[in-house]
Amino acid sequence: MANATRGSSTSSPYTRRYDMEGGGGDYCEEDEASSSPFDIPNTKNAPLERLKRWRQAALVLNASRRFRYTLDLKKEEEKEQIRRKIRAHAQVIRAAFLFREAGERVNVVGPPSPPPSSGAYAIGQEQLTSINRDQNSSALQQYGGVKGLSDLLKSNLEKGINGDDTDLLSRKNAFGSNTYPRKKGRSFWMFLWEAWQDLTLIILMVAAAASLALGIKTEGIKQGWYDGGSIAFAVVLVIIVTAVSDYRQSLQFQNLNEEKRNIHLEVVRGGRRVEASIFDIVVGDVVPLKIGDQVPADGVLIAGHSLAIDESSMTGESKIVHKDQKAPFLMSGCKVADGYGTMLVTGVGINTEWGLLMASISEDTGEETPLQVRLNGVATFIGIVGLAVAFFVLIVLLARFFTGHTKNTDGSVQFIRGKTSLSKAIDGAVQIIAVAVTIVVVAVPEGLPLAVTLTLAYSMRKMMADKALVRRLSACETMGSATTICSDKTGTLTLNQMTVVEAYVGGKKIAPPDSSEQFSPTVISLLIQGIAYNTTGSVFMPENGGEIEVAGSPTEKAILHWGVKLGMSFNDVRSGSSVLQVCPFNSEKKRGGIALQMPDSKVHIHWKGAAELVLASCTRYLEVDGCLHEMDEDKMCGFKKSIEDMAASSLRCVAIAYRPYDMDKVPKDEEQREQWVIPEDDLVLLAIVGIKDPCRPGVKDAVQLCTNAGVKVRMVTGDNLQTARAIALECGILASDSDSTDLIEGSQFRAMSDKDREEAAVKISVMGRSSPNDKLLLVQALRRKGHVVAVTGDGTNDAPALHEADIGLAMGIAGTEVAKESSDIIILDDNFASVVKVVRWGRSVYANIQKFIQFQLTVNVAALIINVVAAVSTGDVPLNAVQLLWVNLIMDTLGALALATEPPTDHLMERPPVGRREPLITNIMWRNLIIQAVYQVTVLLVLNFRGISILHLQHENPDHANRVKNTLIFNTFVLCQIFNEFNARKPDEINVFSGVTKNHLFMMIVGVTLILQVIIIEFLGTFTSTVRLSWKLWLVSIAIAFMSWPLAILGKLIPVPATPFDELCIRLVCQRRSSS
């Protein structure tokens, strides 16, 4: 397929010529009007009307099978109705409760009555469900608030539950597990039933029944059942094989869906943070929540800062709800939009609204993929041609039969008007109809669009082993067309194993950075206070004196480890002051702050974040000895120089600063304090630290592999531009002699006009200090320039860019649930090398489909031409209904299995990306197809018309001689397909056997096909109207089939034009018109 792709007409070597529609997420009216219904290059944001249109335009014999894995449009509407009912139900209950509460306004005097117990616990599931479902604050207060509730549940608000196996089992027995009953997947019998729905197979069964009845009536039960019985058996075999294949695929998709639902999160058990599956969360668990997390169960807020929840998944309203002690109830399935906090789990699984919703709807994983849509177009075109040919054959054969031109092998006429009995006439007509219908079975490639699903299912399973979880099928194939990858730096190109390796305090470099004796007690105290409080991480110190455990983001962990080395006792420090207000870190501000009230009523405000941004807010600094100095211009330049030096050494630079604040200026009212914005000016610089995050091993080779494959890698990072440049040089994204236009800061890119941004986007290799919005602007600009863009992201704010990109790649370890839900593929190990493997698999999907198309079209063309020519000239067909059904089985189900499961090769990464508008059938495929089809048709037609004389059968019984000839044609035709299956493996390579032994499924299918063919010829002749062949005729069949291999080698030496075949035809027609 070297010539299957063409260079770009634009200046960029990465842009595809046919990708103009890659420029936008929406479809314009002009595109809607001008495009073919089968031309949807990006199904990710395609309107439902557009998806309906292509289905209505497709020629389909079995709709339930053809559209099985596409989006079920009716189910989507039903799902939304169920969602609305459950939401309305919950809102009605809440409204009724609030109405009753407002009417009664009864003040409860004295202690509340003890709640009904739930076995080992002092509160039952019913009471817990009622509190959360009704969001009943007064009931919560009656139980003693969240503290009283945790006591009733034998939990601790700080240390969580015990968490041993006995405790977990006890809680699951009392309150249920965090799972919900799911609607069962379809059984094998459903797939069997769907396989029966094919119109052609129904007609064939009717024909088989008629043939059976007539045969038994005329020839008796012993001989008369062969013709009808053999057709019926062949149809049943096709149905069973089809159903088994489809059922296996459905099981693969079910397993992948289970993986998608298995979210991993942190819980506090026994005083330490541990990772657990969402399915293992139990009532009483204490769960830390941070921006981007999914609320794993129903619960009550223990404590939080600026905690905002997106409840749209439950309420249907895209409104962010702020949570505090006045509104502490959290609903399972919602997302954390901002801030952080901890929750006490009070309801899990089916006892939550989310569990009810999930149990009520069956998850439909169906979706259109661009290849599926295009292949339906190809299948429709071939099907129309096949139908026309079959109808033509039917008319010719019926006309010849009823006009007396169809003769038996002994020369007698089959039908003589007025003499032939009615039953024989009907039997003859039924056999002719069966042949015509079987031609339709062979001609309409129902398996073509399903081959996409087959290869995608196979690829998805294998990609799991390569640490990539595919959430959207179409992304798997779109990745093969990717022209650029916009990658994060931290954790993707680097290891995400951060350590503080340099520290500057008061302009002095501290070596080693954790040398606490070099600091004054004042500096140490303030640094430790800022590190311990201004963090979302935690430090667990085992009571038995074991190794400390640090939890949090990699940057937080690095700074907390540094604090511990400086002498920080995390829990002791945090118990000394109270938190007034928090400004959580996010990727837009690139800093986070906290306001603390000290025991002496003083207020300390601590900030931590991107070094140059925090430094710009500093007006003073602390020396190592604790002396406070004004920040003059020279000192500011000195600090900036320190940051540049660390950045040039590929270190991430973080500044830690604080300021004392007057308590009188802090709002006294709690509500006003919640709205209070922590001052971030007039800061005192405490320290600047340099954090080392080494490059991943093998990332340079992976980047080089992408470059060789015509995929440009761009680094988009929130880090300092100098740090980004140093890492990019290390990874091979930048060359040492790179132009300055290759690097840009997010703020510069943001400030450009749309046109300038598009021009700059193509040149950019590294973007530093970028915000998530800058990433979105870059993706949009690249797509408008015709690129197929893959983008990696891990933060909540990356969701728009992940959604906008052609392929959104979320990080499995560092990624938030919001980012994962907006993505198409999750990279489970956060490794860039895994992203490159996804590109390989994407290209493999496309290549495998092309192999299958080439193989199937060769069979189609050869079978149709042989039967048409024979039918028109002699009134008889060499390939009967049963034989054609066997050929269809080889070609459709078994052929798809053999060729759609070819593993990717390095050869795929040595050519440019496949354009989304690239013709599916390339010139190379046309060449291979025509050579093989012409060879097969020529040889088999010669055998059909001259076979008896060539095989020296003139003196044999005419009927036997004809059967030997037809058996040889059938055997040779099948063997030609088996040999050609090897040719289809490597359409553009001379050596078609390379790696064949590694594909065990391919070898098994070829072996099984060959064995079955021998059994059919040698033992099932009565059913297939064949006779046993001598060893000489077997050698003749093998020799003719073997010739397809050298012929394929010779064919590959014939050069093909770069311009696609269909374009050449259009040009030719236009030239003729203009000349006339």
Side-chain angles (χ1 to χ4, degrees), residues 604-624:
H604 281 181
I605 291 171
H606 289 273
W607 283 95
K608 178 181 73 185
E612 67 269 31
L613 299 180
V614 173
L615 178 63
S617 300
C618 293
T619 55
R620 293 169 292 173
Y621 67 95
L622 266 186
E623 282 282 10
V624 178

Side-chain angles (χ1 to χ4, degrees), residues 983-1055:
N983 292 331
R985 285 186 69 247
K986 307 282 180 184
D988 57 345
E989 293 179 52
I990 298 293
N991 183 8
V992 296
F993 303 106
S994 66
V996 72
T997 51
K998 292 178 185 175
N999 190 347
H1000 303 301
L1001 188 60
F1002 180 90
M1003 296 301 290
M1004 186 184 80
I1005 287 169
V1006 168
V1008 167
T1009 309
L1010 202 55
I1011 290 164
L1012 288 173
Q1013 181 63 16
V1014 172
I1015 292 168
I1016 285 168
I1017 298 296
E1018 296 299 312
F1019 305 106
L1020 300 177
T1022 314
F1023 295 99
T1024 54
S1025 303
T1026 55
V1027 293
R1028 289 187 175 184
L1029 294 177
S1030 65
W1031 66 270
K1032 288 181 182 178
L1033 291 181
W1034 268 103
L1035 286 179
V1036 169
S1037 296
I1038 293 166
I1040 292 169
F1042 176 82
M1043 284 304 294
S1044 66
W1045 285 348
L1047 203 63
I1049 293 169
L1050 291 171
K1052 284 167 188 172
L1053 301 175
I1054 301 169

Side-chain angles (χ1 to χ4, degrees), residues 395-581:
I395 298 298
V396 169
L397 289 181
L398 285 174
R400 289 183 67 97
F401 180 76
F402 286 113
T403 55
H405 288 84
T406 306
K407 295 178 181 179
N408 293 315
T409 47
D410 58 3
S412 61
V413 176
Q414 285 187 3
F415 178 84
I416 302 169
R417 193 172 181 182
K419 293 184 179 179
T420 305
S421 65
L422 180 64
S423 61
K424 280 196 175 181
I426 293 171
D427 191 33
V430 164
Q431 286 180 5
I432 289 168
I433 290 166
V435 168
V437 171
T438 315
I439 288 173
V440 175
V441 174
V442 176
V444 179
E446 283 289 282
L448 206 50
L450 275 173
V452 180
T453 315
L454 186 67
T455 189
L456 286 172
Y458 168 77
S459 302
M460 284 167 75
R461 195 176 78 248
K462 291 291 185 183
M463 282 164 77
M464 275 294 289
D466 280 343
K467 304 296 179 187
L469 171 62
V470 178
R471 296 187 75 252
R472 293 185 77 247
L473 274 178
S474 57
C476 194
E477 82 189 31
T478 308
M479 201 66 185
S481 299
T483 59
T484 186
I485 300 171
C486 299
S487 174
D488 282 338
K489 175 186 77 69
T490 308
T492 309
L493 297 168
T494 61
L495 282 168
N496 218 2
Q497 295 171 0
M498 299 194 186
T499 45
V500 174
V501 293
E502 283 190 31
Y504 285 82
V505 176
K508 181 185 174 184
K509 186 175 180 179
I510 308 299
D514 52 3
S515 178
S516 58
E517 62 272 9
Q518 296 189 43
F519 301 95
S520 74
T522 307
V523 175
I524 283 278
S525 172
L526 286 168
L527 266 175
I528 285 175
Q529 190 182 85
I531 291 168
Y533 272 101
N534 193 13
T535 182
T536 53
S538 66
V539 178
F540 174 74
M541 296 189 177
E543 291 172 8
N544 59 8
E547 195 176 335
I548 65 160
E549 295 173 21
V550 179
S553 72
T555 308
E556 295 278 20
K557 283 162 77 173
I559 293 171
L560 285 169
H561 267 296
W562 183 56
V564 169
K565 287 175 182 175
L566 290 175
M568 176 181 73
S569 175
F570 186 76
N571 292 331
D572 292 345
V573 174
R574 284 178 70 94
S575 62
S577 309
S578 59
V579 177
L580 296 171
Q581 177 62 304

Side-chain angles (χ1 to χ4, degrees), residues 6-235:
R6 301 181 302 286
S8 167
S9 58
T10 65
S11 57
S12 169
Y14 300 100
T15 311
R16 301 301 311 163
R17 205 177 135 189
Y18 283 89
D19 282 347
M20 295 313 290
E21 196 157 319
D26 299 320
Y27 288 82
C28 60
E29 287 177 28
E30 189 181 317
D31 173 66
E32 183 77 41
S34 62
S35 291
S36 150
F38 301 110
D39 186 12
I40 309 179
N42 186 6
T43 56
K44 187 170 176 177
N45 299 313
L48 287 179
E49 282 304 314
R50 189 93 192 256
L51 300 179
K52 281 180 186 174
R53 210 175 89 188
W54 79 258
R55 293 191 202 183
Q56 289 162 0
L59 173 70
V60 181
L61 299 174
N62 186 351
S64 59
R65 184 170 181 243
R66 176 80 73 89
F67 298 132
R68 178 181 301 135
Y69 295 109
T70 57
L71 190 68
D72 191 326
L73 304 177
K74 282 185 183 174
K75 262 191 192 172
E76 284 300 296
E77 290 172 11
E78 285 171 16
K79 252 195 226 180
E80 198 47 50
Q81 285 173 359
I82 291 169
R83 276 198 184 102
R84 279 199 292 268
K85 278 181 190 172
I86 289 176
R87 287 168 185 158
H89 175 68
Q91 285 164 3
V92 165
I93 289 172
R94 282 194 201 117
F97 176 80
L98 291 169
F99 181 74
R100 189 188 71 187
E101 191 182 49
E104 291 175 1
R105 294 284 179 201
V106 177
N107 292 319
V108 179
V109 180
S113 57
S117 72
S118 180
Y121 302 93
I123 189 169
Q125 178 57 59
E126 202 173 310
Q127 288 72 39
L128 287 172
T129 306
S130 173
I131 291 171
N132 238 77
R133 186 189 60 208
D134 303 338
Q135 299 199 352
N136 189 342
S137 297
S138 61
L140 179 64
Q141 292 312 311
Q142 282 182 7
Y143 291 131
V146 67
K147 176 72 174 72
L149 205 58
S150 74
D151 292 341
L152 294 172
L153 292 170
K154 297 183 181 178
S155 182
N156 183 295
L157 295 182
E158 289 179 5
K159 294 186 177 180
I161 62 172
N162 181 7
D164 58 26
D165 290 344
T166 310
D167 185 26
L168 292 175
L169 187 63
S170 163
R171 291 174 186 277
K172 284 179 181 177
N173 289 336
F175 305 108
S177 59
N178 202 24
T179 55
Y180 45 86
R182 297 196 186 95
K183 292 194 175 179
K184 284 185 178 178
R186 280 180 295 187
S187 67
F188 172 73
W189 304 110
M190 280 296 294
F191 286 96
L192 206 61
W193 172 250
E194 280 187 2
W196 275 96
Q197 307 304 305
D198 195 310
L199 181 63
T200 50
L201 296 182
I202 292 167
I203 294 169
L204 282 173
M205 286 304 281
V206 171
S211 181
L212 198 64
L214 291 164
I216 291 169
K217 186 184 175 186
T218 53
E219 297 178 42
I221 190 113
K222 281 192 176 180
Q223 299 291 322
W225 69 275
Y226 288 144
D227 284 350
S230 56
I231 294 173
F233 176 76
V235 170

